[in-house]
Amino acid sequence: MDSIPIVKIPNYAYKNSGDLTFQDAGEIWGLNKPSFSNGAALVDLDGDGDLDYVVNNINDPAFVFENKLNAGKKEPNYLRVKLKGSISNPQGLGAKVLLNPTAESLQYQEMQVARGYMSSVEPILHFGLDTLGSVAELTVICRMAWSLNFPRSNPIKYLKWITLLLSEEVIRWPY
């Protein structure tokens, strides 16, 4: 019982400065509410394409923080990728997805739903594209060598969602 805190402390949040440094943004973003928080999840609760933040608290209601990034005048683009795997791995856990919005840029995510102790995310990979309206290339890599069931002749332009069906071969799919 001695290890259980008796004083609520504020949560922390850090903003990426874009130069390999971070700044404390908890107060500015309204996330520094004192609590006994013990888990969090990122999920698009309102379906607007930006990830909202849910924080679980001990002996208090959960905090739900709405991300209002897409409420501005210029709504940024995004691509949400849902993987459909085999019967033994229906969410495609462990698959690596590399997204090249342009020839000069790369975004990488691995399909995992656990994010530390008592935290999780929805089983969908979310890639922010800012003002870009299409994706140059998408690569899916996994130990079972899955591929896409999607026509190569169709470029991914202005899409918000894509579901990738995973099968028997490693793919590198230029659009």
Side-chain angles (χ1 to χ4, degrees), residues 81-87 89-93 95 111 123 146-147 149 162-167:
V81 178
K82 181 174 180 141
L83 301 175
K84 288 194 174 191
S86 64
I87 293 172
N89 185 6
Q91 295 175 328
L93 297 176
M111 176 53 82
W146 297 326
S147 70
N149 182 6
I162 184 171
T163 299
L164 307 181
L165 302 176
L166 308 173
S167 64

Side-chain angles (χ1 to χ4, degrees), residues 67-80:
N67 184 342
K68 297 185 179 185
L69 178 67
N70 288 346
K73 293 180 183 177
K74 192 172 188 183
E75 184 176 315
N77 290 319
Y78 59 91
L79 181 64
R80 292 171 56 82

Side-chain angles (χ1 to χ4, degrees), residues 30-87:
L31 302 177
N32 65 342
K33 297 181 177 187
S35 63
F36 295 128
S37 300
N38 69 340
L42 294 168
V43 61
D44 185 8
L45 292 171
D46 50 8
D48 65 353
D50 52 28
L51 297 178
D52 304 304
Y53 188 51
V54 180
V55 179
N56 187 45
N57 297 307
I58 298 172
N59 297 328
D60 280 321
F63 295 149
V64 179
F65 298 99
E66 181 183 4
N67 184 342
K68 297 185 179 185
L69 178 67
N70 288 346
K73 293 180 183 177
K74 192 172 188 183
E75 184 176 315
N77 290 319
Y78 59 91
L79 181 64
R80 292 171 56 82
V81 178
K82 181 174 180 141
L83 301 175
K84 288 194 174 191
S86 64
I87 293 172

Side-chain angles (χ1 to χ4, degrees), residues 26-163:
E27 186 173 342
I28 295 168
W29 292 343
L31 302 177
N32 65 342
K33 297 181 177 187
S35 63
F36 295 128
S37 300
N38 69 340
L42 294 168
V43 61
D44 185 8
L45 292 171
D46 50 8
D48 65 353
D50 52 28
L51 297 178
D52 304 304
Y53 188 51
V54 180
V55 179
N56 187 45
N57 297 307
I58 298 172
N59 297 328
D60 280 321
F63 295 149
V64 179
F65 298 99
E66 181 183 4
N67 184 342
K68 297 185 179 185
L69 178 67
N70 288 346
K73 293 180 183 177
K74 192 172 188 183
E75 184 176 315
N77 290 319
Y78 59 91
L79 181 64
R80 292 171 56 82
V81 178
K82 181 174 180 141
L83 301 175
K84 288 194 174 191
S86 64
I87 293 172
S88 61
N89 185 6
Q91 295 175 328
L93 297 176
K96 295 161 181 62
V97 178
L98 292 86
L99 183 94
N100 295 87
T102 66
E104 300 82 31
S105 63
L106 171 71
Q107 293 185 37
Y108 166 86
Q109 289 191 52
E110 184 173 331
M111 176 53 82
Q112 296 295 336
V113 293
R115 294 288 192 265
Y117 179 69
M118 299 181 107
S119 298
S120 67
V121 294
E122 63 185 331
I124 296 167
L125 300 173
H126 183 94
F127 295 93
L129 299 174
D130 197 23
T131 59
L132 297 175
S134 65
V135 173
E137 187 174 19
L138 179 70
T139 304
V140 179
I141 301 168
C142 86
R143 61 191 158 120
M144 293 177 58
W146 297 326
S147 70
L148 295 174
N149 182 6
F150 199 85
R152 293 178 185 234
S153 59
N154 272 349
I156 292 186
K157 291 186 177 181
Y158 308 103
L159 285 181
K160 302 295 185 184
W161 281 87
I162 184 171
T163 299

